[in-house]
Amino acid sequence: MGGMADLSSSRNLMALVDCNNFYASCERVFQPRLSAKPVVVLSNNDGCVVARSNEAKALGIKMGVPFFEIRDLAEKKQVEVFSSNYTLYGDMSRRVMEILSSFTPETEIYSIDECFLGFNGFRNRDLTAYSREIRSRVGKYTGIPVSIGIGPTKVLAKLANRVAKKQYPDIGIFNLFDQPDGDVILRDFPVEDIWGVGRRYAERLSQLHIHTALELKRASRNHLRRAFGVVMERIILELNGLSCMAIETQPASKKNMACARGFGRELSSLEDLEGAVHAYSSVLCEKLRTSKQMAEGLYLFLMTNPFSRNAAPFSAGKFSKLVEPTNDTSCIIEKACELLREVYRPGLSYKRVGIILMDLLPDGEYQPDLFSAVNQKKRRAAMSAVDGLNKRFGKATVQFGLPKRQGDWKQNRLRESSRYTTIWKDLPMVLAK
DNA sequence: TCTGGGGTCCTAGGACCC
DNA sequence: TCTGGGGTCCTAGGACCC
């Protein structure tokens, strides 16, 4: 590696934009009374804390803690608690991303609340000032506060983003190019906070006396490649300013699609479980048709409550190839129920069932033989009619082959907010005097 | 009483083929 | 005594991400 990244004009410029405490911020946008109050959002089934406002963080509420462990604290400190409302968060995310894409043609939506921006076309601009504009426009149009980190590689932009959030929360922007010596920042940056370094790697690096980003940047690339693999080598290169991970503006199509949820209460009967399998299959197939894909394989799994003290945990799963690639809800339900019957053991109380569609391929790629082609055409027409009705009149207006039990598998969501931006009846009311 | 869900990539090893 | 070599595909497990 030819020493440090040079400062020539060929260097990359990019930013990572990250929405602050995204789910909690979404809740706040529509309920101004929540501002300056501690807010937390819970995972599915109201199980764990998955988002916290700064005030909630200050109370010592950790990411991922089971809600029951902080219930008393939450009550005492008047924490505002919400079930997760993915319809709302997904729609808010779309709005934020749309605004970001008006600032550069090169965007990569990395997650529901993060986006990489390529700035190679903006070499003559003051990127710090440009980022102030971005931040202010997103804030004005959506109410969501964002942090922006700027650097020459994804790893460094991520790192800069974290510095912005931790050290300059009011400014919300940190540009590594503004630093006379970027190594000063790296020297104080813990290695475990680097993107791509998880708990396991951090432990092993610590045994090698590597504790900071600067130490990793200067470590032997070849040695660490042998010990950890190419992923670590790429991190080291990126810390040195050499970009190994391009901004992917075209989202790659998914290879798997999963739907797995815990139930509000434990279920024992096959009929109850079938109800869940019907519902999850429908969700998956709709997603599959939206992304214009078909599945070739299906995996179903089933488990009891792993935290139960009365019974040994049990889990089982089975994979099956489908007769032919499909995104037809009835076909998937049929196969999933078949697998369910095979892995189901009577006499147990189940907490969770999941379905993973595997080996996805693009809709157009599969050529059915002439015989099944006619059938498929009819089925396709039926599917798109169903999708249209459900889109127009709400999820699950039309369902396939009604299961015997209707809702025993449903999740707990006792504290859900309204779908302010996607359902007419949930529009916030404003009283004008 | 109460403990989330959905993904990706890389690697090593075995099967198989020529 | 002495038993090829190279390539591909698949899978399971481990690591990571949000």
Side-chain angles (χ1 to χ4, degrees), chain A residues 128-153:
Chain A
T128 309
Y130 198 47
S131 297
R132 277 197 292 271
E133 272 181 58
I134 295 175
R135 195 165 176 269
S136 119
R137 195 184 302 172
V138 172
K140 194 145 115 197
Y141 288 10
T142 68
I144 301 290
V146 301
S147 302
I148 305 180
I150 302 157
T153 66

Side-chain angles (χ1 to χ4, degrees), chain A residues 255-259 277 280-282 284-285 288 294-301 317-340 343 353-360:
Chain A
K255 296 170 179 167
N256 299 306
M257 225 181 246
C259 182
V277 167
Y280 300 178
S281 299
S282 305
L284 283 173
C285 287
L288 211 48
M294 302 200 287
E296 279 194 282
L298 189 156
Y299 182 79
L300 176 133
F301 65 90
K318 196 161 187 221
F319 174 83
S320 169
K321 210 112 184 121
L322 292 153
V323 204
E324 57 182 5
T326 185
N327 55 25
D328 183 304
T329 306
S330 318
C331 298
I332 298 289
I333 288 179
E334 194 182 319
K335 178 57 82 178
C337 283
E338 191 184 309
L339 290 176
L340 173 67
V343 296
V353 63
I355 300 171
I356 307 176
L357 300 179
M358 307 177 87
D359 308 321
L360 305 189

Side-chain angles (χ1 to χ4, degrees), chain A residues 1-28:
Chain A
M1 161 178 43
M4 292 273 305
D6 62 315
L7 293 163
S8 73
S9 59
S10 68
R11 102 183 304 173
N12 276 310
L13 303 175
M14 60 181 88
L16 176 73
V17 182
D18 185 328
C19 301
N20 299 346
N21 315 327
F22 183 54
Y23 300 166
S25 298
C26 287
E27 298 296 346
R28 264 187 185 160

Side-chain angles (χ1 to χ4, degrees), chain A residues 56-67:
Chain A
K57 289 177 188 170
L59 290 174
I61 298 173
K62 298 270 182 272
M63 182 68 174
V65 289
F67 178 54

